[in-house]
Amino acid sequence: MDLKDLTPTSETLEVKIVHPTTQEPFLNDDDTQMVIEVYAPHTKKYKAAIYKQASTRIKVSSMDEVDFETLDTASVEFLAAITKSWNITYDGKKPKLTEAKAKEVYDQIFWLKAQVEEAISKFEVFTKS
């Protein structure tokens, strides 16, 4: 065995979007499945975003009252920051990925945010050869 055998095999993970209740694939008009690609937890991009989110959480926790809206906003900003690409239909269009558009989509489509967060939590960095 070699330590390099445990080097992560991917920098990103692809989240295949499914209907939140039926679990059927969500398709674009061209019959491609909607997908969102995000940076994996071991990457610099992900870590930078998680550090920013942690700083926000620490600031909020030091307040007399917890500001849940700020925490929710921080989680949306986190997902927007780690989104690398997407193939989605939103509001009748296939929007170009920008951080602002990602924030809008994650904020408006609450169940999508949950699917991406779940995929990240289940992501396995290492695979057997």
Side-chain angles (χ1 to χ4, degrees):
M1 178 154 229
D2 185 319
L3 290 174
K4 287 287 262 182
D5 291 343
L6 294 179
T7 301
T9 57
S10 176
E11 293 287 307
T12 62
L13 65 135
E14 185 178 84
V15 182
K16 294 181 178 182
I17 308 306
V18 296
H19 189 283
T21 56
T22 66
Q23 300 302 301
E24 292 177 29
F26 245 58
L27 302 178
N28 293 296
D29 290 340
D30 62 2
D31 287 332
T32 59
Q33 184 167 2
M34 293 189 197
V35 294
I36 296 178
E37 182 181 22
V38 295
Y39 288 99
H42 64 277
T43 62
K44 288 181 182 181
K45 185 88 171 171
Y46 184 100
K47 288 178 183 180
I50 201 82
Y51 297 155
K52 183 177 178 184
Q53 184 186 44
S55 293
T56 300
R57 288 176 184 260
I58 288 169
K59 287 176 191 170
V60 168
S61 69
S62 67
M63 301 170 135
D64 290 336
E65 292 182 27
V66 176
D67 183 350
F68 292 104
E69 187 174 340
T70 299
L71 291 175
D72 185 56
T73 299
S75 70
V76 166
E77 289 174 351
F78 168 73
L79 289 179
I82 65 164
T83 300
K84 181 180 181 185
S85 67
W86 63 18
N87 178 18
I88 64 169
T89 301
Y90 175 72
D91 200 18
K93 300 173 185 154
K94 291 185 84 170
K96 179 182 176 185
L97 174 63
T98 64
E99 201 161 317
K101 183 54 80 175
K103 287 177 189 177
E104 177 185 338
V105 171
Y106 288 127
D107 187 51
Q108 295 297 311
I109 313 299
F110 68 91
W111 56 264
L112 179 63
K113 180 176 169 273
Q115 282 187 30
V116 174
E117 290 171 337
E118 181 180 3
I120 292 168
S121 73
K122 292 180 177 180
F123 178 65
E124 294 183 22
V125 175
F126 309 106
T127 58
K128 288 189 174 186
S129 302

